[in-house]
Amino acid sequence: MDGIPGVNKAAAATFIAEMGIDMSVFKSAKHLASWAGVSPGNYESAGKKKRVKPHKEIKL
């Protein structure tokens, strides 16, 4: 994770502590990004906000 720009050792340790080391629990990188809350989304159209169901929590 040290090779990722902006990720230092403390941040990498936090990521691993939160996600764990077994990435097989995530179907894809997109699922991991969604779980982490960093995937982009558009929940507004013509000034009306769309309700979004909360994500299911993945148990590690």
Side-chain angles (χ1 to χ4, degrees):
M1 294 185 104
D2 283 337
I4 302 171
V7 177
N8 61 16
K9 288 183 181 183
T14 302
F15 294 153
I16 292 170
E18 290 290 329
M19 298 179 300
I21 58 171
D22 181 12
M23 294 293 115
S24 68
V25 297
F26 301 104
K27 294 179 184 178
S28 68
K30 289 181 181 183
H31 283 97
L32 172 60
S34 178
W35 176 84
V38 295
S39 60
N42 182 9
Y43 303 111
E44 188 172 333
S45 176
K48 297 179 183 179
K49 293 186 179 185
K50 184 195 314 186
R51 286 190 113 181
V52 180
K53 294 180 183 178
H55 295 289
K56 290 183 180 179
E57 189 171 315
I58 297 174
K59 295 183 182 182
L60 302 175

